[in-house]
Amino acid sequence: MCPPEHFTVEYAINPWMDITVPVDAALAVKQWDLLRNTLVELGHTVHLLDPVAGLPDMVYAANGAFSVDGTVYGARFRYPQRADEADAHRAFYTRTDWKYETPEHVNEGEGDFTYLPGAHGGVILAGYGFRTEPAAHAEAQEMLGRPVVSLRLVDPAYYHLDTALAALDDHNVAYYPDAFSAASQRVLAQLFPDAVLADRADAEAFGLNLVSDGRHVILNTEAAAMGEKVRAAGYHPVHVELTELKRGGGSVKCAVAELRP
Ligand code: ARG
């Protein structure tokens, strides 16, 4: 995670960002602290990335890389405003014990990639259409040695895979079907017949931008209905208020880069 010390909305690269509405910086830090404390209280280790002045989106740490079994496929950001974030993530992985692979193609890390170790022998799901290039899906498959299933995103409000789909545990997902092309919806239905399906209101509340440890599902307070859906599916929803991060077009998942050593 990366503290939102320099968080602002000073450019708009997704439909949620409105540069005319000021961000409450102190509140952003307070809410982010609560998210970090929630993860720690649930027993997780949280490593911190040093925030860099002039990189206001660094708080969305999930976009900087994607790791599977000790190998890290680095990010290459779509927009120049975020390009330098990739170096900060690379520095984190290269000073610890990871095998870091530098990407050739545009991809935004866990924003558009997720991994389900227990589904179909270990499968990577990857989004494209707005940020990550399809060529990066093939590149990730070569670097990580796992099958990558490409899913086409069609609604600009759900520009990253992690705004429309989330892993609930090692083998199942929750997703909002209408964020995907008709063909990608068929692919998801085939691979995940027991998925938890979200509706438009859940997606708008960033209810799919969640982090799950397989038991606890952490989602923002606005996503109360999504919390009930995951509860009905047997998980324990844990809600955290993240109103300020939504102004940049993100929520829980965007703020947490999961490490798969
Ligand atoms: N303002 C950021 C962007 O548009 C938000 C990134 C949200 N992160 C995520 N994992 N979806 O790039």
Side-chain angles (χ1 to χ4, degrees):
M1 295 181 72
C2 179
E5 234 165 80
H6 307 290
F7 176 59
T8 57
V9 176
E10 59 192 37
Y11 52 78
I13 56 174
N14 70 57
W16 304 90
M17 299 174 86
D18 181 349
I19 57 169
T20 66
V21 182
V23 168
D24 185 334
L27 183 58
V29 172
K30 214 176 122 193
Q31 294 179 335
W32 178 92
D33 269 331
L34 198 62
L35 174 59
R36 183 183 59 163
N37 291 339
T38 301
L39 291 167
V40 170
E41 275 161 25
L42 290 172
H44 302 292
T45 304
V46 178
H47 302 272
L48 296 185
L49 216 54
D50 284 333
V52 177
L55 295 175
D57 273 339
M58 251 188 104
V59 64
Y60 304 109
N63 304 149
F66 173 56
S67 66
V68 174
D69 291 347
T71 300
V72 181
Y73 176 51
R76 193 165 155 198
F77 285 83
R78 156 94 33 201
Y79 295 106
Q81 294 96 326
R82 298 196 67 185
D84 290 347
E85 293 181 38
D87 291 343
H89 287 268
R90 180 168 34 77
F92 171 83
Y93 291 105
T94 51
R95 78 169 170 264
T96 45
D97 216 15
W98 298 81
K99 179 167 185 255
Y100 185 90
E101 302 281 7
T102 303
E104 191 184 316
H105 297 289
V106 168
N107 82 88
E108 298 197 343
E110 287 201 316
D112 275 319
F113 288 104
T114 192
Y115 181 54
L116 288 112
H120 308 282
V123 72
I124 293 169
L125 302 181
Y128 73 99
F130 299 101
R131 299 290 180 91
T132 295
E133 282 168 2
H137 296 185
E139 189 174 44
Q141 178 166 293
E142 285 305 305
M143 305 275 187
L144 300 168
R146 297 288 184 290
V148 175
V149 176
S150 286
L151 301 166
R152 188 169 153 236
L153 296 162
V154 295
D155 184 335
Y158 309 108
Y159 58 93
H160 270 150
L161 182 69
D162 73 0
T163 64
L165 179 146
L168 290 171
D169 52 28
D170 286 353
H171 47 87
N172 203 13
V173 296
Y175 65 97
Y176 170 48
D178 285 350
F180 297 91
S181 69
S184 292
Q185 289 180 39
R186 283 199 296 276
V187 169
L188 284 168
Q190 178 185 325
L191 294 179
F192 302 102
D194 302 321
V196 174
L197 297 185
D199 61 24
R200 177 153 211 98
D202 298 322
E204 268 171 11
F206 271 80
L208 290 156
N209 199 248
L210 60 82
V211 168
S212 176
D213 60 18
R215 255 172 73 74
H216 307 98
V217 173
I218 301 131
L219 20 66
N220 78 79
T221 35
E222 199 190 328
M226 192 64 208
E228 288 315 309
K229 282 175 194 167
V230 302
R231 190 196 302 283
Y235 305 88
H236 301 279
V238 178
H239 290 277
V240 177
E241 185 141 9
L242 281 177
T243 56
E244 295 316 285
L245 283 197
K246 196 180 182 187
R247 296 182 196 282
S251 195
V252 178
K253 173 59 217 171
C254 301
V256 180
E258 289 169 67
L259 302 177
R260 300 179 194 81

Short mmCIF file of all heavy atoms in Angstrom, two decimals, residues 13-14 17 57 60 62-63 82 108 111 131 159-160 162-163 209 248-250 254, ligand 1:
data_model
loop_
_atom_site.label_atom_id
_atom_site.label_comp_id
_atom_site.label_asym_id
_atom_site.label_seq_id
_atom_site.Cartn_x
_atom_site.Cartn_y
_atom_site.Cartn_z
N ILE A 13 -8.33 10.97 -16.00
CA ILE A 13 -8.03 9.89 -16.95
C ILE A 13 -9.06 8.76 -16.86
O ILE A 13 -8.89 7.72 -17.48
CB ILE A 13 -6.59 9.36 -16.77
CG1 ILE A 13 -6.33 8.89 -15.34
CG2 ILE A 13 -5.57 10.43 -17.17
CD1 ILE A 13 -4.97 8.21 -15.16
N ASN A 14 -10.10 8.98 -16.06
CA ASN A 14 -11.23 8.04 -16.05
C ASN A 14 -12.47 8.86 -15.70
O ASN A 14 -12.36 9.97 -15.18
CB ASN A 14 -10.97 6.87 -15.09
CG ASN A 14 -11.00 7.27 -13.64
OD1 ASN A 14 -12.00 7.81 -13.15
ND2 ASN A 14 -9.91 7.02 -12.91
N MET A 17 -13.11 10.87 -12.28
CA MET A 17 -12.24 11.97 -11.82
C MET A 17 -12.81 13.31 -12.27
O MET A 17 -13.05 13.52 -13.45
CB MET A 17 -10.82 11.78 -12.35
CG MET A 17 -10.17 10.49 -11.88
SD MET A 17 -8.55 10.16 -12.63
CE MET A 17 -7.47 11.06 -11.52
N ASP A 57 -1.67 9.63 -8.06
CA ASP A 57 -2.40 8.36 -8.14
C ASP A 57 -1.63 7.19 -7.52
O ASP A 57 -2.08 6.04 -7.61
CB ASP A 57 -2.75 8.03 -9.59
CG ASP A 57 -4.07 8.66 -10.05
OD1 ASP A 57 -4.91 9.00 -9.18
OD2 ASP A 57 -4.26 8.82 -11.27
N TYR A 60 -3.10 4.28 -5.51
CA TYR A 60 -3.70 3.10 -6.15
C TYR A 60 -2.58 2.10 -6.47
O TYR A 60 -2.20 1.87 -7.63
CB TYR A 60 -4.46 3.51 -7.42
CG TYR A 60 -5.54 4.55 -7.13
CD1 TYR A 60 -5.40 5.87 -7.55
CD2 TYR A 60 -6.67 4.21 -6.37
CE1 TYR A 60 -6.35 6.82 -7.26
CE2 TYR A 60 -7.63 5.17 -6.07
CZ TYR A 60 -7.47 6.46 -6.52
OH TYR A 60 -8.42 7.41 -6.23
N ALA A 62 -2.29 -0.98 -6.49
CA ALA A 62 -2.56 -2.23 -7.22
C ALA A 62 -2.12 -2.15 -8.68
O ALA A 62 -1.94 -3.18 -9.32
CB ALA A 62 -4.05 -2.57 -7.16
N ASN A 63 -1.95 -0.95 -9.20
CA ASN A 63 -1.68 -0.81 -10.63
C ASN A 63 -0.22 -0.95 -11.02
O ASN A 63 0.11 -0.95 -12.20
CB ASN A 63 -2.20 0.54 -11.14
CG ASN A 63 -3.68 0.73 -10.85
OD1 ASN A 63 -4.13 1.85 -10.65
ND2 ASN A 63 -4.44 -0.34 -10.81
N ARG A 82 1.05 8.89 -15.03
CA ARG A 82 1.32 7.83 -14.04
C ARG A 82 2.59 7.02 -14.36
O ARG A 82 2.96 6.12 -13.58
CB ARG A 82 0.11 6.87 -13.94
CG ARG A 82 -1.17 7.53 -13.46
CD ARG A 82 -2.20 6.50 -13.02
NE ARG A 82 -1.78 5.79 -11.82
CZ ARG A 82 -2.44 4.77 -11.28
NH1 ARG A 82 -3.54 4.33 -11.84
NH2 ARG A 82 -2.00 4.18 -10.18
N GLU A 108 -1.56 -2.36 -16.62
CA GLU A 108 -1.67 -1.67 -15.34
C GLU A 108 -1.83 -2.65 -14.18
O GLU A 108 -2.69 -2.52 -13.31
CB GLU A 108 -2.75 -0.58 -15.41
CG GLU A 108 -2.37 0.47 -16.46
CD GLU A 108 -3.11 1.80 -16.38
OE1 GLU A 108 -4.17 1.88 -15.73
OE2 GLU A 108 -2.61 2.77 -17.00
N GLY A 111 -4.64 -3.84 -11.64
CA GLY A 111 -5.83 -3.15 -12.12
C GLY A 111 -6.54 -4.03 -13.15
O GLY A 111 -7.77 -4.10 -13.19
N ARG A 131 -7.27 0.22 -20.75
CA ARG A 131 -5.91 0.48 -20.27
C ARG A 131 -4.91 -0.55 -20.79
O ARG A 131 -4.05 -0.24 -21.60
CB ARG A 131 -5.90 0.50 -18.74
CG ARG A 131 -6.78 1.59 -18.12
CD ARG A 131 -6.19 2.97 -18.35
NE ARG A 131 -7.00 4.01 -17.76
CZ ARG A 131 -6.85 4.49 -16.52
NH1 ARG A 131 -5.93 3.99 -15.72
NH2 ARG A 131 -7.62 5.47 -16.08
N TYR A 159 -13.21 0.75 -16.24
CA TYR A 159 -12.07 0.80 -17.15
C TYR A 159 -10.96 -0.16 -16.80
O TYR A 159 -10.08 -0.43 -17.60
CB TYR A 159 -11.53 2.25 -17.17
CG TYR A 159 -11.13 2.73 -15.79
CD1 TYR A 159 -9.82 2.59 -15.35
CD2 TYR A 159 -12.08 3.25 -14.92
CE1 TYR A 159 -9.46 2.97 -14.07
CE2 TYR A 159 -11.73 3.63 -13.63
CZ TYR A 159 -10.42 3.49 -13.22
OH TYR A 159 -10.07 3.85 -11.95
N HIS A 160 -10.97 -0.65 -15.56
CA HIS A 160 -10.00 -1.66 -15.12
C HIS A 160 -10.79 -2.92 -14.75
O HIS A 160 -11.89 -2.82 -14.19
CB HIS A 160 -9.28 -1.21 -13.83
CG HIS A 160 -8.03 -0.43 -14.02
ND1 HIS A 160 -7.62 0.52 -13.11
CD2 HIS A 160 -7.05 -0.49 -14.97
CE1 HIS A 160 -6.46 1.03 -13.50
NE2 HIS A 160 -6.09 0.43 -14.62
N ASP A 162 -10.45 -4.70 -12.24
CA ASP A 162 -10.76 -4.75 -10.80
C ASP A 162 -11.90 -3.82 -10.38
O ASP A 162 -12.26 -3.76 -9.21
CB ASP A 162 -9.50 -4.53 -9.94
CG ASP A 162 -9.01 -3.10 -9.93
OD1 ASP A 162 -9.62 -2.22 -10.58
OD2 ASP A 162 -7.97 -2.85 -9.26
N THR A 163 -12.48 -3.10 -11.33
CA THR A 163 -13.70 -2.33 -11.02
C THR A 163 -14.94 -3.16 -11.36
O THR A 163 -16.06 -2.78 -11.01
CB THR A 163 -13.76 -1.01 -11.82
OG1 THR A 163 -13.84 -1.30 -13.22
CG2 THR A 163 -12.54 -0.14 -11.57
N ASN A 209 -14.68 -3.65 -6.31
CA ASN A 209 -13.28 -3.27 -6.07
C ASN A 209 -12.93 -3.67 -4.64
O ASN A 209 -12.67 -2.84 -3.77
CB ASN A 209 -13.12 -1.76 -6.31
CG ASN A 209 -11.68 -1.37 -6.53
OD1 ASN A 209 -11.08 -0.69 -5.71
ND2 ASN A 209 -11.10 -1.83 -7.61
N GLY A 248 -10.89 9.56 -7.22
CA GLY A 248 -9.87 9.27 -8.23
C GLY A 248 -10.27 8.08 -9.10
O GLY A 248 -9.54 7.70 -10.02
N GLY A 249 -11.42 7.47 -8.77
CA GLY A 249 -11.88 6.32 -9.55
C GLY A 249 -11.39 5.00 -9.00
O GLY A 249 -11.12 4.06 -9.77
N GLY A 250 -11.29 4.91 -7.67
CA GLY A 250 -10.83 3.65 -7.08
C GLY A 250 -11.39 3.42 -5.70
O GLY A 250 -12.07 4.27 -5.14
N CYS A 254 -8.01 -1.16 -5.46
CA CYS A 254 -7.03 -0.30 -6.12
C CYS A 254 -5.90 0.08 -5.17
O CYS A 254 -4.77 0.33 -5.59
CB CYS A 254 -7.68 0.98 -6.62
SG CYS A 254 -9.00 0.74 -7.76
N1 ARG B 1 -6.95 7.58 -11.05
C1 ARG B 1 -6.46 6.26 -11.25
C2 ARG B 1 -6.42 5.93 -12.73
O1 ARG B 1 -7.34 6.31 -13.42
C3 ARG B 1 -7.30 5.27 -10.50
C4 ARG B 1 -6.77 3.87 -10.53
C5 ARG B 1 -7.65 2.92 -9.83
N2 ARG B 1 -7.02 1.70 -9.61
C6 ARG B 1 -7.52 0.49 -9.88
N3 ARG B 1 -6.85 -0.56 -9.54
N4 ARG B 1 -8.63 0.36 -10.56
O2 ARG B 1 -5.50 5.33 -13.23
#
